[in-house]
Amino acid sequence: MKLLVTGAAGFIGSTYARLAAGEHDVTVLDKLTYAGRRENLEEVEHVFVHGSISDPGIVRKAMEGCDAVVNFAAESHVDRSIAGQDPFVETHVIGTGVLLEAARQLGVARYLQVSTDEVYGSIASGSFTESSPLDPSSPYSATKAAGDLLVSSHVHTHGIEAVICRGSNNYGPRQYPEKLIPLITLNALQGDRLPVYGDGRQVRNWLFVEDFARAIHLVLQEGEPGRVYNVGGPDECENIDVVRRVLALAGRDESLIEYVTDRPGHDRRYSLCSDRVRELGWQAQVHFEEGLTRTVQWYRDNEPWWAPIRSGEYREYYERQYGRVLGR
Ligand code: NAD
Ligand code: TYD
């Protein structure tokens, strides 16, 4: 197959491209926002197109001759969506619409939308299934939900063969350090304080990035057109427990923990039921303990990857987001 993989200069997309490039021809379309880096695609055979999924001309050119599209392109951080929603609307709503329209016009056989458990909102107990109602609470998740609804509308109205994969919180190598696990890992390795929102008892359903990439590849090939597939990690964990585990792996003590003002509208708990993707033959292979150990080790070993990030745009973001609460 010839695959168009959008957003593949980012964390999950580059992991997926690494997996898919062994079997298929991969064209990457990426805008290279602060989160997108060509280095993430080192050693991955691909054709690179620089541009936005919201640009119909570039999308058409990149998609021509492709058998399938896998859309990872996104603004992926909840806190940034609270600070300003515009790029989220542009990429998740307008961009998804442009991709779908081009896929329809070019007769692309298969379209996979990469989505998130956050479209369901928070759940106090039990787990969300694919038929749970959408109830997003942040501009990030609301715009992701809008993208999902556009995909479903194109299935119903135009008959395109699209599937949606909703993943739970991913972690692993090459994740931009605005997200909890890489942020606290780098802070712990450097002896900086670790900001914990609110009481730290929020629960996330952790999924190792390579397990998500394998699920996406399976659903692309075997998923039933028009269906949604939840892909939840094998372990749930309170944030404070994640922080304590990372501190232990980094060899630091808990005095680095700093409770800070909670995120507005913070979802308390995410949990997914993944029976449907399991029926296709998927199973998570990496449990949290092993995945976290591998992740912390990767950041230890790859300072040349993160050092330029920590000194660039990220520094300004970090000061804006945490400077005041951490008393800098
Ligand atoms: P990321 O922020 O690491 O990467 C996003 C990539 O998309 C970057 O390379 C960026 O340059 C690119 N991009 C942004 N806007 C674009 C545009 N308009 N046109 C083309 N490229 C654009 O994100 P990630 O964590 O790898 O997430 C990938 C996808 O997976 C997203 O759709 C996200 O919603 C979804 N997802 C993420 C998680 C998670 O825990 N990170 C969990 C479930 C689902
Ligand atoms: P995050 O990695 O931003 O993912 P999401 O909000 O999409 O789940 O955050 C994971 C959890 O960690 C979430 O409950 C918010 C919390 N968190 C902190 O406590 N401190 C932080 O500095 C960050 C970035 C997140």
Side-chain angles (χ1 to χ4, degrees):
M1 277 202 290
K2 191 168 173 223
L3 299 183
L4 176 65
V5 187
T6 66
F11 164 53
I12 308 174
S14 63
T15 307
Y16 175 74
R18 195 161 274 108
L19 171 85
E23 297 168 33
H24 304 289
D25 289 341
V26 170
T27 297
V28 169
L29 171 61
D30 199 295
K31 187 180 170 183
L32 298 178
T33 65
Y34 71 93
R37 304 177 77 202
R38 294 293 305 268
E39 302 93 296
N40 288 345
L41 289 165
E42 257 164 27
E43 293 154 27
V44 177
E45 201 178 320
H46 68 285
V47 171
F48 188 82
V49 181
H50 184 200
S52 173
I53 60 165
S54 61
D55 180 331
I58 285 178
V59 163
R60 217 189 143 84
K61 226 169 89 193
M63 205 184 284
E64 218 130 40
C66 286
D67 305 297
V69 174
V70 185
N71 179 28
F72 290 93
E75 292 289 336
S76 63
H77 194 37
V78 172
D79 291 326
R80 291 197 196 236
S81 80
I82 294 168
Q85 67 185 9
D86 292 359
F88 292 77
V89 174
E90 168 82 13
T91 295
H92 303 170
V93 188
I94 311 285
T96 299
V98 168
L99 286 175
L100 290 164
E101 190 57 24
R104 184 173 72 81
Q105 284 173 4
L106 294 169
V108 171
R110 202 87 165 127
Y111 178 99
L112 188 147
Q113 178 80 352
V114 180
S115 187
T116 165
D117 58 358
E118 303 193 24
V119 297
Y120 298 118
S122 188
I123 189 164
S125 59
S127 301
F128 290 118
T129 69
E130 289 83 354
S131 45
S132 299
L134 302 188
D135 187 18
S137 27
S138 71
Y140 164 70
S141 52
T143 51
K144 288 297 290 185
D148 287 9
L149 292 176
L150 268 180
V151 174
S152 303
S153 75
H154 278 250
V155 170
H156 291 289
T157 307
H158 300 299
I160 76 160
E161 300 223 338
V163 282
I164 299 174
C165 265
R166 295 190 178 133
S168 61
N169 280 69
N170 276 229
Y171 68 104
R174 299 182 193 80
Q175 186 168 32
Y176 196 82
E178 63 194 350
K179 306 292 190 322
L180 178 71
I181 288 180
L183 186 148
I184 59 176
T185 298
L186 294 184
N187 283 18
L189 290 175
Q190 304 222 303
D192 288 342
R193 280 180 290 167
L194 275 46
V196 174
Y197 295 163
D199 65 2
R201 306 286 307 275
Q202 303 83 3
V203 174
R204 295 295 183 260
N205 186 184
W206 293 102
L207 174 63
F208 193 64
V209 64
E210 289 170 14
D211 277 332
F212 192 33
R214 285 191 307 100
I216 288 168
H217 208 43
L218 181 66
V219 170
L220 180 70
Q221 291 168 96
E222 312 276 336
E224 201 179 301
R227 284 207 125 178
V228 174
Y229 291 84
N230 286 347
V231 185
D235 304 287
E236 292 185 14
C237 198
E238 288 188 351
N239 291 340
I240 189 64
D241 192 24
V242 176
V243 170
R244 292 200 173 108
R245 287 173 189 233
V246 168
L247 281 169
L249 288 166
R252 301 280 186 179
D253 68 60
E254 296 186 7
S255 62
L256 290 178
I257 295 173
E258 183 87 25
Y259 288 93
V260 300
T261 312
D262 207 352
R263 169 187 283 172
H266 197 166
D267 282 336
R268 193 73 182 163
R269 176 172 174 266
Y270 298 136
S271 179
L272 284 181
C273 166
S274 310
D275 289 352
R276 186 175 283 177
V277 71
R278 271 199 214 98
E279 277 165 26
L280 291 182
W282 176 85
Q283 199 174 302
Q285 289 178 356
V286 182
H287 274 279
F288 196 46
E289 200 173 324
E290 181 199 333
L292 199 58
T293 306
R294 279 170 62 181
T295 302
V296 172
Q297 192 59 44
W298 188 87
Y299 283 93
R300 260 191 208 286
D301 295 342
N302 286 278
E303 188 167 341
W305 184 89
W306 53 259
I309 294 178
R310 295 259 297 185
S311 60
E313 182 270 355
Y314 179 71
R315 181 75 8 234
E316 281 164 42
Y317 165 77
Y318 193 87
E319 287 301 327
R320 263 198 324 274
Q321 182 71 17
Y322 301 102
R324 195 169 46 82
V325 284
L326 289 183
R328 281 154 190 262

